[in-house]
Amino acid sequence: MSRLRVGVLISGRGSNLQALIDACVDPLYPAEIVLVISDRAEAPGLERAAAAGIPAAVIPHRDRHALAEKAEVLLRAQRVEFVCLAGFMRVLDTALVEAWRDRMINIHPSLLPAFRGLHAQRQALAAGVRFAGCTVHFVRPELDCGPIVAQAVVPVLPGDNEALLSTRILEIEHRLYPLALRLIAEGRTRVVGDRVEIDGALAPEMVVLNPEGAAGELLASTAG
Ligand code: GRF
């Protein structure tokens, strides 16, 4: 089986990178990470790449264009076929985004198109939404825009703060990102206009209310 050759761009902690690394350990997983690029030399994610024996490079962010040019050279040298942004905190050069159109995805900690940009979890709490989550989407030049591949939902709980909600969302990010990349690497996704079609995708048939009923009885039920 030939695996999709993936490059991952990070800026920091790299826990989503780790989730992808862990998924790729399975020889049946249809993708492999062949390059990690960070714009920050002190990004802890670089240690994760080193521990996994993945080639890594630092491209300090001087300007958008220079970063894009250097990234292109490295991606080509490693024969990267697909790019995952995993906590990459820079706005990418439009030319780079267009060059990788439909071959680059990002994970964002909100149910897009709500709460684009920084501090998505804080924005969700401020808006008083009852559900939050994360989204994997193809990258477009506009920030946190692009056809949606997959989403995962968590409830907002009474007494939540930004740290608690962020942790709850991050746990499902680590499940969602490997799933989304798998679907793509298996060749099951097609971008059609602004939407993504997925062959054989099963959606969960459930409805969840938040808050639940007064007595706390389960109000989840089968849709229909
Ligand atoms: C994640 O919440 C991701 O959704 C957002 O940045 C954060 C990166 O975390 N884009 P990590 O570096 O993967 O731990």
Side-chain angles (χ1 to χ4, degrees):
M1 180 187 73
S2 99
R3 305 168 95 195
L4 186 70
R5 296 174 65 82
V6 173
V8 182
L9 270 57
I10 61 166
S11 293
R13 180 177 57 186
S15 69
N16 278 291
L17 165 66
Q18 188 66 55
L20 294 175
I21 290 172
D22 293 346
C24 292
V25 167
D26 179 354
L28 294 179
Y29 191 77
E32 61 179 327
I33 302 171
V34 296
L35 177 65
V36 171
I37 295 175
S38 171
D39 65 315
R40 291 177 54 232
E42 64 279 18
L46 288 169
E47 286 157 33
R48 300 178 189 269
I54 299 168
V58 177
I59 310 178
H61 187 270
R62 296 216 173 76
D63 71 85
R64 229 175 257 187
H65 187 63
L67 184 141
E69 277 191 343
K70 289 192 182 125
E72 272 294 6
V73 170
L74 293 170
L75 293 167
R76 215 170 299 139
Q78 286 300 108
R79 292 180 288 117
V80 168
E81 300 169 298
F82 198 87
V83 172
C84 292
L85 306 183
F88 186 70
M89 299 304 287
R90 304 286 180 179
V91 176
L92 283 171
D93 191 57
T94 302
L96 185 76
V97 173
E98 289 300 350
W100 288 86
R101 192 179 183 86
D102 299 343
R103 294 186 300 143
M104 182 189 284
I105 54 176
N106 177 47
I107 187 158
H108 182 76
S110 79
L111 296 171
L112 289 174
F115 313 131
R116 295 176 173 138
L118 290 175
H119 308 303
Q121 304 92 334
R122 194 187 299 172
Q123 294 183 55
L125 287 172
V129 294
R130 299 292 181 191
F131 292 97
C134 55
T135 303
V136 176
H137 63 96
F138 284 98
V139 176
R140 296 291 182 261
E142 310 88 290
L143 187 66
D144 299 325
C145 282
I148 291 170
V149 182
Q151 292 186 308
V153 176
V154 294
V156 177
L157 302 181
D160 258 353
N161 57 35
E162 192 179 353
L164 288 169
L165 181 59
S166 298
T167 302
R168 195 173 310 124
I169 293 173
L170 193 64
E171 278 172 19
I172 53 166
E173 290 186 39
H174 298 160
R175 291 171 58 192
L176 191 71
Y177 216 178
L179 167 68
L181 181 60
R182 171 195 286 278
L183 294 171
I184 291 164
E186 287 174 346
R188 291 169 58 185
T189 58
R190 261 181 326 279
V191 179
V192 181
D194 293 334
R195 304 174 65 236
V196 178
E197 292 179 357
I198 305 176
D199 294 336
L202 297 176
E205 286 194 11
M206 64 184 299
V207 172
V208 181
L209 309 186
N210 185 13
E212 292 188 324
E217 74 268 28
L218 190 64
L219 288 180
S221 66
T222 302

